[in-house]
Amino acid sequence: MNVIVITGGSRGIGAAAAIEVAKLGMGVILTYNTNAAAADRVVATIEAAGGKAVALPLDVGNADSFGAFKAAVMQALETTWNTTSLYGLVNNAGYGLFNPIEFVTEAQFDGLMNVHLKGPFFLTQALLPLLASGAAIVNLTSATTRVATAGVAPYAAFKGGLEVLSRYMAKEFGARGIRVNAVSPGAIRTELGGGLNDEFEALLAGQTALGRVGEPEDVGRVIATLLSPVTGWVNAQTVEVGGGYII
């Protein structure tokens, strides 16, 4: 069975992606930072539908922990799936911060950088030896890299860096047949940045061609598709999944 690692898979887009990936018959190793109960619920949902999943703790902002996480992944692969290889990695874990540039602290800046750019870089590096030839990587970026939104400059800047990094990964990993693409969500109903109230949701829906905000499942299905052989000739691309957000 092909096994995928999905960071931040306990809720939101990560959880939706984990469930959609499992529907395609793949195994899932999903990570959580602090909410083990939420991760266990996702695992239970996957297993109730006949799939296999394992939840492991991971702080993507702490690169020093990636060696131990790699060892835990190797153990899960052997124990649960009797394999030594990964078929894919989804760098999804993240958080939002709303703060104008003039008020952003160095600690806030560093925290966002560690999770959204440094973390995916070094986690991918750590897990690269486990990725099988022909595997796939999906990095979660953001429509804020295309549409400037006041108050999210550091977040958007690091997501923009991850978008560029995705192309470089595709270039450097291509000799092993490993594809790397980015998925750029638009306005999605998640807890990121504190979630949506009715007024904010109406505003975002009005800025989207299809007249609504997206659901985590809208993005999860695209992530799963990019991990599958169906998109085997799609590489080094950024796919915006936003229903036509500010076009």
Side-chain angles (χ1 to χ4, degrees):
M1 178 181 286
N2 295 328
V3 183
I4 311 294
V5 168
I6 301 176
T7 67
S10 62
R11 58 183 182 176
I13 289 172
I19 292 168
E20 295 297 330
V21 164
K23 287 180 182 178
L24 295 181
M26 301 180 191
V28 179
I29 298 174
L30 60 96
T31 79
Y32 63 93
N33 188 2
T34 58
N35 197 340
D40 289 342
R41 286 193 291 271
V42 178
V43 169
T45 298
I46 291 171
E47 292 181 341
K52 283 188 177 182
V54 171
L56 296 177
L58 176 67
D59 178 0
V60 176
N62 179 14
D64 290 339
S65 70
F66 294 169
F69 177 71
K70 176 186 175 183
V73 168
M74 293 172 66
Q75 182 176 5
L77 287 171
E78 182 177 354
T79 302
T80 306
W81 291 279
N82 193 29
T83 185
T84 58
S85 298
L86 287 171
Y87 184 75
L89 168 64
V90 180
N91 286 306
N92 164 77
Y95 68 96
L97 173 71
F98 183 86
N99 207 9
I101 291 172
E102 62 182 313
F103 300 120
V104 173
T105 67
E106 185 175 356
Q108 290 173 332
F109 184 97
D110 288 346
L112 288 165
M113 179 182 68
N114 288 341
V115 168
H116 294 287
L117 186 55
K118 181 180 178 180
F121 185 102
F122 286 104
L123 182 62
T124 301
Q125 182 188 76
L127 297 182
L128 188 59
L130 303 183
L131 287 170
S133 297
I137 297 171
V138 176
N139 294 320
L140 269 290
T141 61
S142 170
T144 58
T145 64
R146 178 179 63 83
V147 179
T149 304
V152 296
Y155 171 86
F158 299 131
K159 287 298 191 181
L162 184 57
E163 187 173 305
V164 173
L165 179 61
S166 298
R167 293 195 290 274
Y168 275 81
M169 286 180 174
K171 183 73 170 181
E172 294 194 17
F173 304 162
R176 291 179 53 194
I178 296 175
R179 298 181 298 111
V180 185
N181 292 289
V183 167
S184 175
I188 307 296
R189 193 194 314 278
T190 72
E191 299 174 25
L192 186 70
L196 303 177
N197 58 37
D198 291 343
E199 182 180 2
F200 191 35
E201 179 173 338
L203 172 65
L204 293 174
Q207 294 174 329
T208 303
L210 293 181
R212 66 172 177 88
V213 299
E215 303 295 339
E217 293 75 17
D218 292 321
V219 186
R221 285 189 291 268
V222 175
I223 293 171
T225 301
L226 287 172
L227 292 168
S228 76
V230 173
T231 53
W233 200 234
V234 179
N235 194 24
Q237 302 302 304
T238 296
V239 181
E240 184 168 319
V241 187
Y245 177 60
I246 308 185
I247 55 173

